[in-house]
Amino acid sequence: MIETSRSWSTAFCVVSWIFWSNITILFNKWIIETAQFKFPVILPTWHLIFATLATQVLARTTTLLDGRKNLKLTPGLLFRTLGPIAVLNSGSLICSNMVYLYLSVPFSQMLKATGPVITLLTSWLWAVSTPSKTALINILILTASIAFTTTGELHFSWPGLGFQLAALAFDANRLILIQILLADDDPARSMDPLVSLYYYAPMCAAINAVVVWFTEWEAFSWEAVLQTGVGVLVLNAAGGFILNVVVFLLIRQTSGLTTTLVSIPKNILLVFAAVLIWDTPVTTRQVIGYAVALAALLNYSVGLGTIAHRVGGGIRGWIGMGGKGGITDGRERKGDGEAV
């Protein structure tokens, strides 16, 4: 009974992650493009301000952020280690939102498949990992398939491509900097996603505010807020924050392997949803290129043998024990959260 309950709880977390992750991306795109809120730097800044306020409330009214009490973080350590990471996180958020001005959601999602390639190349440049023949082959396959996908895009934009690659580069360097600046026994490394948000949100909000001042503040008017709707913007920020809470629960319930496997159908659903909402054309060349990229990504991240073993075991578990078991294995390393 306990195992069955845990299986249902895990399934709920996975479905919630798929829903809130995709709805946040679609909602952001809708606000910037359809609702004509053409302020892609102000929007994530508002999200960070909302997250700062929300985490402060949760810290004082719930036990969800009690993990911060076990951390020995001095102001000097906080700014020396988390400061540079916050700068890169802000860069990733800003560039990701800038993409919505130039590219469709399906195409930008296809380009995100190059994320592991950029992260791996960055780790080689920072000398935190050793190049290997197998990794190089996967990189070539992924790069070639995404390049093939790009040639099929009907509404291609160089600025959009540049912002998407910049967002991925910022995120890759953020991940590598976490490895470099935070030692294995560093208290900041053990922070869960909600505690991380508690510390990162105000720092990133301050950084974004500086960027807003030099880029969008002069053109901004409160009429844009009223035209979009105060309630809509609050709901948008709340959805992004809920996503962070769901990621926190997901990491508690599942393994990194499960998250990697589920992210593939999640991304495919997002592409289909965007096509239905905005009637975005997707060519056969893009479908083929993206399919090859996802297959190469799975092989690189998990390994086809591991996938077959885990999925097969999960199917047998669900059929033979009425929902008990699954592809989750508590011995697997917990996956990283998805920041908003």
Side-chain angles (χ1 to χ4, degrees), residues 223-290:
E223 291 182 4
V225 174
L226 297 176
Q227 180 180 343
T228 303
V230 175
V232 170
L233 291 172
V234 170
L235 189 62
N236 178 242
F241 181 73
I242 290 172
L243 173 60
N244 281 279
V245 176
V246 169
V247 168
F248 166 71
L249 298 175
L250 181 73
I251 289 178
R252 277 188 168 184
Q253 291 283 338
T254 67
S255 65
L257 172 61
T258 302
T259 306
T260 301
L261 291 175
V262 174
S263 67
I264 301 300
K266 179 185 79 71
N267 293 339
I268 294 173
L269 281 173
L270 178 58
V271 170
F272 273 109
V275 168
L276 292 175
I277 294 172
W278 287 284
D279 196 25
T280 307
V282 175
T283 64
T284 303
R285 182 175 296 186
Q286 286 181 297
V287 172
I288 295 172
Y290 191 43

Short mmCIF file of all heavy atoms in Angstrom, two decimals, residues 223-290:
data_model
loop_
_atom_site.label_atom_id
_atom_site.label_comp_id
_atom_site.label_asym_id
_atom_site.label_seq_id
_atom_site.Cartn_x
_atom_site.Cartn_y
_atom_site.Cartn_z
N GLU A 223 0.87 51.81 -18.68
CA GLU A 223 -0.26 51.48 -19.56
C GLU A 223 -0.11 50.07 -20.13
O GLU A 223 -1.11 49.38 -20.37
CB GLU A 223 -0.37 52.50 -20.69
CG GLU A 223 -0.82 53.88 -20.23
CD GLU A 223 -0.96 54.85 -21.40
OE1 GLU A 223 -0.77 54.39 -22.56
OE2 GLU A 223 -1.25 56.03 -21.17
N ALA A 224 1.14 49.65 -20.35
CA ALA A 224 1.39 48.30 -20.87
C ALA A 224 0.94 47.26 -19.85
O ALA A 224 0.41 46.20 -20.22
CB ALA A 224 2.87 48.13 -21.19
N VAL A 225 1.14 47.56 -18.57
CA VAL A 225 0.70 46.65 -17.50
C VAL A 225 -0.82 46.57 -17.48
O VAL A 225 -1.41 45.49 -17.39
CB VAL A 225 1.23 47.13 -16.13
CG1 VAL A 225 0.66 46.27 -15.00
CG2 VAL A 225 2.76 47.07 -16.11
N LEU A 226 -1.48 47.74 -17.57
CA LEU A 226 -2.95 47.77 -17.55
C LEU A 226 -3.54 47.11 -18.78
O LEU A 226 -4.57 46.43 -18.71
CB LEU A 226 -3.43 49.22 -17.44
CG LEU A 226 -3.02 49.97 -16.17
CD1 LEU A 226 -3.48 51.42 -16.23
CD2 LEU A 226 -3.60 49.27 -14.94
N GLN A 227 -2.86 47.30 -19.93
CA GLN A 227 -3.35 46.69 -21.17
C GLN A 227 -3.24 45.17 -21.10
O GLN A 227 -4.16 44.46 -21.55
CB GLN A 227 -2.54 47.22 -22.35
CG GLN A 227 -2.98 46.65 -23.70
CD GLN A 227 -2.16 47.19 -24.86
OE1 GLN A 227 -1.46 48.20 -24.73
NE2 GLN A 227 -2.23 46.52 -25.99
N THR A 228 -2.13 44.67 -20.58
CA THR A 228 -1.96 43.22 -20.44
C THR A 228 -2.86 42.67 -19.35
O THR A 228 -3.42 41.58 -19.47
CB THR A 228 -0.49 42.88 -20.12
OG1 THR A 228 0.34 43.42 -21.15
CG2 THR A 228 -0.28 41.38 -20.04
N GLY A 229 -2.99 43.43 -18.26
CA GLY A 229 -3.81 43.01 -17.14
C GLY A 229 -2.97 42.70 -15.92
O GLY A 229 -2.08 41.84 -16.00
N VAL A 230 -3.23 43.42 -14.82
CA VAL A 230 -2.47 43.16 -13.59
C VAL A 230 -2.67 41.72 -13.14
O VAL A 230 -1.73 41.03 -12.73
CB VAL A 230 -2.91 44.15 -12.48
CG1 VAL A 230 -2.22 43.80 -11.16
CG2 VAL A 230 -2.60 45.59 -12.89
N GLY A 231 -3.91 41.26 -13.21
CA GLY A 231 -4.20 39.89 -12.81
C GLY A 231 -3.47 38.86 -13.65
O GLY A 231 -3.01 37.83 -13.14
N VAL A 232 -3.36 39.14 -14.95
CA VAL A 232 -2.65 38.22 -15.86
C VAL A 232 -1.17 38.12 -15.48
O VAL A 232 -0.60 37.03 -15.42
CB VAL A 232 -2.79 38.70 -17.32
CG1 VAL A 232 -1.86 37.90 -18.24
CG2 VAL A 232 -4.22 38.56 -17.79
N LEU A 233 -0.55 39.26 -15.19
CA LEU A 233 0.87 39.27 -14.83
C LEU A 233 1.11 38.61 -13.48
O LEU A 233 2.12 37.92 -13.29
CB LEU A 233 1.39 40.71 -14.83
CG LEU A 233 1.47 41.37 -16.20
CD1 LEU A 233 1.81 42.86 -16.08
CD2 LEU A 233 2.49 40.67 -17.09
N VAL A 234 0.18 38.82 -12.53
CA VAL A 234 0.31 38.14 -11.23
C VAL A 234 0.17 36.63 -11.41
O VAL A 234 0.92 35.84 -10.83
CB VAL A 234 -0.75 38.67 -10.24
CG1 VAL A 234 -0.79 37.82 -8.98
CG2 VAL A 234 -0.46 40.12 -9.89
N LEU A 235 -0.82 36.23 -12.22
CA LEU A 235 -1.02 34.80 -12.48
C LEU A 235 0.19 34.20 -13.17
O LEU A 235 0.60 33.07 -12.86
CB LEU A 235 -2.27 34.63 -13.35
CG LEU A 235 -2.78 33.19 -13.56
CD1 LEU A 235 -3.19 32.57 -12.24
CD2 LEU A 235 -3.96 33.18 -14.53
N ASN A 236 0.80 34.94 -14.09
CA ASN A 236 1.98 34.48 -14.80
C ASN A 236 3.15 34.26 -13.84
O ASN A 236 3.83 33.23 -13.89
CB ASN A 236 2.35 35.51 -15.87
CG ASN A 236 3.61 35.14 -16.63
OD1 ASN A 236 4.60 35.87 -16.59
ND2 ASN A 236 3.61 34.01 -17.33
N ALA A 237 3.37 35.22 -12.95
CA ALA A 237 4.46 35.09 -11.98
C ALA A 237 4.18 33.95 -10.99
O ALA A 237 5.08 33.21 -10.60
CB ALA A 237 4.64 36.40 -11.23
N ALA A 238 2.91 33.82 -10.60
CA ALA A 238 2.54 32.74 -9.68
C ALA A 238 2.77 31.38 -10.32
O ALA A 238 3.23 30.44 -9.66
CB ALA A 238 1.08 32.90 -9.26
N GLY A 239 2.46 31.27 -11.62
CA GLY A 239 2.69 30.01 -12.32
C GLY A 239 4.16 29.65 -12.35
O GLY A 239 4.54 28.48 -12.15
N GLY A 240 5.02 30.65 -12.59
CA GLY A 240 6.45 30.40 -12.58
C GLY A 240 6.94 29.96 -11.21
O GLY A 240 7.79 29.08 -11.09
N PHE A 241 6.38 30.55 -10.15
CA PHE A 241 6.79 30.17 -8.80
C PHE A 241 6.30 28.76 -8.46
O PHE A 241 7.03 27.98 -7.83
CB PHE A 241 6.25 31.17 -7.78
CG PHE A 241 6.65 30.85 -6.37
CD1 PHE A 241 7.95 31.05 -5.95
CD2 PHE A 241 5.73 30.33 -5.47
CE1 PHE A 241 8.34 30.75 -4.65
CE2 PHE A 241 6.10 30.01 -4.19
CZ PHE A 241 7.40 30.22 -3.77
N ILE A 242 5.07 28.45 -8.86
CA ILE A 242 4.54 27.09 -8.63
C ILE A 242 5.44 26.06 -9.30
O ILE A 242 5.68 24.98 -8.75
CB ILE A 242 3.09 26.98 -9.14
CG1 ILE A 242 2.15 27.81 -8.25
CG2 ILE A 242 2.63 25.52 -9.17
CD1 ILE A 242 0.74 27.91 -8.79
N LEU A 243 5.96 26.40 -10.47
CA LEU A 243 6.88 25.49 -11.17
C LEU A 243 8.09 25.18 -10.30
O LEU A 243 8.53 24.03 -10.22
CB LEU A 243 7.31 26.09 -12.51
CG LEU A 243 8.40 25.32 -13.27
CD1 LEU A 243 7.92 23.90 -13.60
CD2 LEU A 243 8.78 26.06 -14.54
N ASN A 244 8.63 26.18 -9.64
CA ASN A 244 9.78 25.96 -8.76
C ASN A 244 9.42 25.05 -7.59
O ASN A 244 10.23 24.21 -7.18
CB ASN A 244 10.31 27.30 -8.24
CG ASN A 244 11.17 28.00 -9.27
OD1 ASN A 244 12.34 27.70 -9.44
ND2 ASN A 244 10.57 28.96 -9.97
N VAL A 245 8.22 25.21 -7.05
CA VAL A 245 7.77 24.34 -5.96
C VAL A 245 7.63 22.90 -6.47
O VAL A 245 8.03 21.94 -5.79
CB VAL A 245 6.43 24.83 -5.38
CG1 VAL A 245 5.91 23.87 -4.31
CG2 VAL A 245 6.59 26.23 -4.80
N VAL A 246 7.06 22.75 -7.67
CA VAL A 246 6.88 21.41 -8.26
C VAL A 246 8.23 20.75 -8.51
O VAL A 246 8.40 19.54 -8.26
CB VAL A 246 6.06 21.52 -9.57
CG1 VAL A 246 6.09 20.20 -10.32
CG2 VAL A 246 4.63 21.92 -9.28
N VAL A 247 9.20 21.52 -8.99
CA VAL A 247 10.55 20.98 -9.20
C VAL A 247 11.13 20.49 -7.89
O VAL A 247 11.77 19.43 -7.82
CB VAL A 247 11.46 22.04 -9.86
CG1 VAL A 247 12.92 21.58 -9.82
CG2 VAL A 247 11.04 22.29 -11.29
N PHE A 248 10.92 21.26 -6.83
CA PHE A 248 11.38 20.88 -5.49
C PHE A 248 10.79 19.52 -5.09
O PHE A 248 11.50 18.63 -4.60
CB PHE A 248 10.98 21.97 -4.50
CG PHE A 248 11.09 21.58 -3.05
CD1 PHE A 248 12.33 21.42 -2.45
CD2 PHE A 248 9.96 21.39 -2.28
CE1 PHE A 248 12.44 21.07 -1.12
CE2 PHE A 248 10.05 21.04 -0.95
CZ PHE A 248 11.29 20.88 -0.36
N LEU A 249 9.49 19.35 -5.29
CA LEU A 249 8.82 18.09 -4.95
C LEU A 249 9.26 16.96 -5.87
O LEU A 249 9.42 15.81 -5.43
CB LEU A 249 7.31 18.27 -5.02
CG LEU A 249 6.71 19.29 -4.03
CD1 LEU A 249 5.21 19.47 -4.30
CD2 LEU A 249 6.95 18.86 -2.60
N LEU A 250 9.47 17.28 -7.16
CA LEU A 250 9.88 16.27 -8.13
C LEU A 250 11.23 15.66 -7.76
O LEU A 250 11.42 14.44 -7.81
CB LEU A 250 9.95 16.89 -9.53
CG LEU A 250 10.34 15.95 -10.67
CD1 LEU A 250 9.18 15.01 -11.00
CD2 LEU A 250 10.74 16.74 -11.92
N ILE A 251 12.17 16.51 -7.38
CA ILE A 251 13.51 16.02 -7.03
C ILE A 251 13.47 15.16 -5.78
O ILE A 251 14.25 14.22 -5.63
CB ILE A 251 14.47 17.22 -6.86
CG1 ILE A 251 14.75 17.83 -8.23
CG2 ILE A 251 15.76 16.82 -6.19
CD1 ILE A 251 15.65 19.04 -8.20
N ARG A 252 12.54 15.47 -4.89
CA ARG A 252 12.38 14.63 -3.69
C ARG A 252 11.82 13.26 -4.03
O ARG A 252 12.11 12.27 -3.36
CB ARG A 252 11.42 15.32 -2.71
CG ARG A 252 12.07 16.37 -1.83
CD ARG A 252 11.08 16.83 -0.77
NE ARG A 252 11.71 17.62 0.27
CZ ARG A 252 11.08 18.07 1.35
NH1 ARG A 252 9.79 17.80 1.50
NH2 ARG A 252 11.72 18.78 2.25
N GLN A 253 10.99 13.18 -5.08
CA GLN A 253 10.26 11.96 -5.38
C GLN A 253 10.94 11.07 -6.41
O GLN A 253 10.73 9.85 -6.40
CB GLN A 253 8.85 12.31 -5.89
CG GLN A 253 7.94 12.91 -4.84
CD GLN A 253 7.39 11.87 -3.88
OE1 GLN A 253 7.35 10.69 -4.21
NE2 GLN A 253 6.99 12.29 -2.70
N THR A 254 11.71 11.66 -7.32
CA THR A 254 12.21 10.89 -8.46
C THR A 254 13.72 10.96 -8.57
O THR A 254 14.40 11.66 -7.82
CB THR A 254 11.61 11.40 -9.78
OG1 THR A 254 12.09 12.72 -10.04
CG2 THR A 254 10.10 11.43 -9.73
N SER A 255 14.25 10.25 -9.55
CA SER A 255 15.69 10.23 -9.82
C SER A 255 16.01 11.10 -11.03
O SER A 255 15.12 11.51 -11.78
CB SER A 255 16.15 8.80 -10.10
OG SER A 255 15.56 8.32 -11.29
N GLY A 256 17.31 11.37 -11.21
CA GLY A 256 17.75 12.12 -12.38
C GLY A 256 17.40 11.40 -13.67
O GLY A 256 17.08 12.03 -14.68
N LEU A 257 17.45 10.07 -13.65
CA LEU A 257 17.11 9.27 -14.84
C LEU A 257 15.65 9.49 -15.23
O LEU A 257 15.33 9.69 -16.40
CB LEU A 257 17.38 7.79 -14.56
CG LEU A 257 16.89 6.81 -15.63
CD1 LEU A 257 17.57 7.06 -16.95
CD2 LEU A 257 17.10 5.37 -15.17
N THR A 258 14.76 9.44 -14.23
CA THR A 258 13.35 9.63 -14.51
C THR A 258 13.08 10.99 -15.14
O THR A 258 12.34 11.11 -16.12
CB THR A 258 12.53 9.49 -13.22
OG1 THR A 258 12.76 8.20 -12.66
CG2 THR A 258 11.04 9.65 -13.50
N THR A 259 13.71 12.02 -14.57
CA THR A 259 13.52 13.38 -15.08
C THR A 259 13.99 13.49 -16.53
O THR A 259 13.34 14.11 -17.37
CB THR A 259 14.29 14.40 -14.21
OG1 THR A 259 13.89 14.23 -12.85
CG2 THR A 259 14.00 15.82 -14.66
N THR A 260 15.13 12.88 -16.83
CA THR A 260 15.67 12.91 -18.20
C THR A 260 14.72 12.22 -19.17
O THR A 260 14.44 12.73 -20.26
CB THR A 260 17.04 12.23 -18.25
OG1 THR A 260 17.93 12.91 -17.36
CG2 THR A 260 17.62 12.28 -19.66
N LEU A 261 14.21 11.05 -18.78
CA LEU A 261 13.31 10.31 -19.66
C LEU A 261 12.00 11.07 -19.90
O LEU A 261 11.51 11.14 -21.02
CB LEU A 261 13.01 8.94 -19.06
CG LEU A 261 14.16 7.93 -19.03
CD1 LEU A 261 13.73 6.66 -18.30
CD2 LEU A 261 14.64 7.60 -20.43
N VAL A 262 11.46 11.64 -18.83
CA VAL A 262 10.17 12.33 -18.95
C VAL A 262 10.31 13.64 -19.72
O VAL A 262 9.34 14.11 -20.33
CB VAL A 262 9.58 12.58 -17.54
CG1 VAL A 262 8.31 13.42 -17.63
CG2 VAL A 262 9.27 11.25 -16.86
N SER A 263 11.49 14.26 -19.69
CA SER A 263 11.67 15.55 -20.36
C SER A 263 11.48 15.44 -21.87
O SER A 263 11.09 16.42 -22.52
CB SER A 263 13.06 16.11 -20.07
OG SER A 263 14.08 15.31 -20.65
N ILE A 264 11.71 14.26 -22.43
CA ILE A 264 11.55 14.10 -23.88
C ILE A 264 10.09 14.23 -24.30
O ILE A 264 9.75 15.08 -25.13
CB ILE A 264 12.14 12.76 -24.35
CG1 ILE A 264 13.63 12.68 -24.00
CG2 ILE A 264 11.92 12.58 -25.85
CD1 ILE A 264 14.48 13.75 -24.63
N PRO A 265 9.16 13.41 -23.74
CA PRO A 265 7.75 13.61 -24.11
C PRO A 265 7.23 14.98 -23.68
O PRO A 265 6.34 15.54 -24.33
CB PRO A 265 7.01 12.48 -23.38
CG PRO A 265 7.95 12.02 -22.31
CD PRO A 265 9.32 12.24 -22.85
N LYS A 266 7.77 15.55 -22.59
CA LYS A 266 7.37 16.90 -22.17
C LYS A 266 7.66 17.92 -23.26
O LYS A 266 6.81 18.76 -23.59
CB LYS A 266 8.11 17.29 -20.89
CG LYS A 266 7.76 18.69 -20.38
CD LYS A 266 8.60 19.07 -19.18
CE LYS A 266 9.99 19.51 -19.59
NZ LYS A 266 9.98 20.83 -20.28
N ASN A 267 8.86 17.83 -23.83
CA ASN A 267 9.23 18.77 -24.89
C ASN A 267 8.41 18.56 -26.16
O ASN A 267 8.05 19.52 -26.84
CB ASN A 267 10.72 18.63 -25.20
CG ASN A 267 11.60 19.08 -24.05
OD1 ASN A 267 11.16 19.83 -23.19
ND2 ASN A 267 12.83 18.59 -24.00
N ILE A 268 8.13 17.30 -26.47
CA ILE A 268 7.31 17.01 -27.65
C ILE A 268 5.90 17.56 -27.47
O ILE A 268 5.31 18.15 -28.39
CB ILE A 268 7.28 15.49 -27.92
CG1 ILE A 268 8.68 15.00 -28.31
CG2 ILE A 268 6.27 15.15 -29.01
CD1 ILE A 268 8.79 13.50 -28.44
N LEU A 269 5.33 17.39 -26.27
CA LEU A 269 4.00 17.95 -25.98
C LEU A 269 4.00 19.46 -26.11
O LEU A 269 3.04 20.06 -26.62
CB LEU A 269 3.57 17.54 -24.56
CG LEU A 269 3.04 16.13 -24.37
CD1 LEU A 269 2.82 15.86 -22.88
CD2 LEU A 269 1.74 15.93 -25.13
N LEU A 270 5.08 20.09 -25.67
CA LEU A 270 5.18 21.55 -25.77
C LEU A 270 5.18 22.00 -27.22
O LEU A 270 4.51 22.98 -27.58
CB LEU A 270 6.46 22.02 -25.07
CG LEU A 270 6.75 23.52 -25.13
CD1 LEU A 270 5.61 24.32 -24.51
CD2 LEU A 270 8.07 23.84 -24.43
N VAL A 271 5.90 21.28 -28.06
CA VAL A 271 5.93 21.62 -29.49
C VAL A 271 4.54 21.48 -30.10
O VAL A 271 4.07 22.39 -30.81
CB VAL A 271 6.94 20.71 -30.23
CG1 VAL A 271 6.80 20.88 -31.75
CG2 VAL A 271 8.37 21.02 -29.80
N PHE A 272 3.84 20.39 -29.79
CA PHE A 272 2.49 20.18 -30.32
C PHE A 272 1.54 21.27 -29.83
O PHE A 272 0.72 21.80 -30.59
CB PHE A 272 1.97 18.80 -29.93
CG PHE A 272 2.36 17.71 -30.87
CD1 PHE A 272 3.28 16.74 -30.50
CD2 PHE A 272 1.82 17.64 -32.15
CE1 PHE A 272 3.65 15.74 -31.38
CE2 PHE A 272 2.17 16.63 -33.03
CZ PHE A 272 3.09 15.67 -32.65
N ALA A 273 1.63 21.61 -28.54
CA ALA A 273 0.74 22.62 -27.97
C ALA A 273 0.95 23.97 -28.65
O ALA A 273 -0.01 24.67 -28.98
CB ALA A 273 0.98 22.74 -26.46
N ALA A 274 2.21 24.35 -28.87
CA ALA A 274 2.51 25.62 -29.52
C ALA A 274 2.00 25.65 -30.96
O ALA A 274 1.50 26.67 -31.44
CB ALA A 274 4.01 25.88 -29.49
N VAL A 275 2.13 24.52 -31.64
CA VAL A 275 1.64 24.44 -33.02
C VAL A 275 0.13 24.65 -33.05
O VAL A 275 -0.41 25.35 -33.91
CB VAL A 275 2.01 23.07 -33.64
CG1 VAL A 275 1.27 22.86 -34.95
CG2 VAL A 275 3.51 22.98 -33.88
N LEU A 276 -0.59 24.04 -32.08
CA LEU A 276 -2.04 24.18 -32.03
C LEU A 276 -2.48 25.60 -31.65
O LEU A 276 -3.44 26.13 -32.21
CB LEU A 276 -2.62 23.17 -31.02
CG LEU A 276 -2.51 21.69 -31.41
CD1 LEU A 276 -3.00 20.81 -30.27
CD2 LEU A 276 -3.31 21.41 -32.68
N ILE A 277 -1.76 26.22 -30.71
CA ILE A 277 -2.15 27.54 -30.22
C ILE A 277 -1.89 28.63 -31.25
O ILE A 277 -2.75 29.49 -31.51
CB ILE A 277 -1.42 27.87 -28.90
CG1 ILE A 277 -1.88 26.92 -27.80
CG2 ILE A 277 -1.66 29.33 -28.49
CD1 ILE A 277 -1.07 27.03 -26.52
N TRP A 278 -0.70 28.62 -31.84
CA TRP A 278 -0.32 29.71 -32.76
C TRP A 278 -0.31 29.28 -34.22
O TRP A 278 0.10 30.06 -35.07
CB TRP A 278 1.06 30.25 -32.37
CG TRP A 278 1.03 31.07 -31.12
CD1 TRP A 278 0.57 32.35 -30.98
CD2 TRP A 278 1.48 30.67 -29.82
NE1 TRP A 278 0.70 32.77 -29.69
CE2 TRP A 278 1.25 31.76 -28.94
CE3 TRP A 278 2.04 29.50 -29.30
CZ2 TRP A 278 1.58 31.71 -27.59
CZ3 TRP A 278 2.35 29.45 -27.95
CH2 TRP A 278 2.12 30.54 -27.12
N ASP A 279 -0.75 28.05 -34.49
CA ASP A 279 -0.77 27.55 -35.87
C ASP A 279 0.61 27.68 -36.51
O ASP A 279 0.75 28.11 -37.66
CB ASP A 279 -1.82 28.30 -36.69
CG ASP A 279 -2.17 27.59 -37.99
OD1 ASP A 279 -2.00 26.36 -38.04
OD2 ASP A 279 -2.59 28.26 -38.94
N THR A 280 1.63 27.33 -35.72
CA THR A 280 3.01 27.44 -36.18
C THR A 280 3.34 26.33 -37.17
O THR A 280 3.14 25.15 -36.87
CB THR A 280 3.99 27.35 -34.99
OG1 THR A 280 3.60 28.30 -34.00
CG2 THR A 280 5.42 27.62 -35.44
N PRO A 281 3.83 26.66 -38.36
CA PRO A 281 4.19 25.62 -39.32
C PRO A 281 5.46 24.88 -38.90
O PRO A 281 6.45 25.49 -38.49
CB PRO A 281 4.42 26.40 -40.62
CG PRO A 281 4.81 27.77 -40.17
CD PRO A 281 4.06 28.02 -38.91
N VAL A 282 5.41 23.56 -38.96
CA VAL A 282 6.58 22.72 -38.67
C VAL A 282 6.79 21.83 -39.88
O VAL A 282 5.89 21.09 -40.28
CB VAL A 282 6.37 21.87 -37.41
CG1 VAL A 282 7.55 20.91 -37.20
CG2 VAL A 282 6.20 22.76 -36.18
N THR A 283 7.98 21.89 -40.46
CA THR A 283 8.25 21.14 -41.69
C THR A 283 8.69 19.71 -41.39
O THR A 283 9.10 19.40 -40.27
CB THR A 283 9.34 21.84 -42.51
OG1 THR A 283 10.56 21.84 -41.77
CG2 THR A 283 8.95 23.29 -42.82
N THR A 284 8.60 18.86 -42.40
CA THR A 284 9.04 17.47 -42.27
C THR A 284 10.53 17.42 -41.92
O THR A 284 10.96 16.58 -41.12
CB THR A 284 8.79 16.71 -43.58
OG1 THR A 284 7.40 16.79 -43.92
CG2 THR A 284 9.20 15.26 -43.45
N ARG A 285 11.30 18.31 -42.49
CA ARG A 285 12.74 18.35 -42.20
C ARG A 285 12.98 18.62 -40.72
O ARG A 285 13.88 18.02 -40.11
CB ARG A 285 13.39 19.43 -43.06
CG ARG A 285 14.89 19.53 -42.88
CD ARG A 285 15.50 20.53 -43.85
NE ARG A 285 15.33 20.09 -45.23
CZ ARG A 285 15.86 20.72 -46.27
NH1 ARG A 285 16.59 21.81 -46.08
NH2 ARG A 285 15.65 20.28 -47.49
N GLN A 286 12.19 19.49 -40.14
CA GLN A 286 12.34 19.79 -38.72
C GLN A 286 11.97 18.58 -37.85
O GLN A 286 12.63 18.30 -36.86
CB GLN A 286 11.48 20.99 -38.34
CG GLN A 286 12.03 22.32 -38.84
CD GLN A 286 11.16 23.48 -38.43
OE1 GLN A 286 10.00 23.56 -38.84
NE2 GLN A 286 11.69 24.37 -37.63
N VAL A 287 10.90 17.90 -38.23
CA VAL A 287 10.47 16.72 -37.47
C VAL A 287 11.56 15.65 -37.48
O VAL A 287 11.91 15.08 -36.44
CB VAL A 287 9.16 16.14 -38.05
CG1 VAL A 287 8.81 14.82 -37.38
CG2 VAL A 287 8.01 17.14 -37.88
N ILE A 288 12.14 15.39 -38.65
CA ILE A 288 13.20 14.38 -38.76
C ILE A 288 14.43 14.80 -37.96
O ILE A 288 14.99 14.02 -37.19
CB ILE A 288 13.56 14.15 -40.25
CG1 ILE A 288 12.37 13.56 -41.00
CG2 ILE A 288 14.78 13.25 -40.36
CD1 ILE A 288 12.58 13.47 -42.50
N GLY A 289 14.84 16.06 -38.15
CA GLY A 289 16.03 16.54 -37.45
C GLY A 289 15.86 16.52 -35.94
O GLY A 289 16.77 16.13 -35.21
N TYR A 290 14.68 16.92 -35.47
CA TYR A 290 14.43 16.95 -34.03
C TYR A 290 14.37 15.54 -33.45
O TYR A 290 14.85 15.28 -32.34
CB TYR A 290 13.12 17.69 -33.76
CG TYR A 290 12.87 18.01 -32.30
CD1 TYR A 290 13.89 18.50 -31.49
CD2 TYR A 290 11.60 17.85 -31.74
CE1 TYR A 290 13.66 18.81 -30.16
CE2 TYR A 290 11.36 18.16 -30.40
CZ TYR A 290 12.39 18.63 -29.62
OH TYR A 290 12.16 18.94 -28.30
#
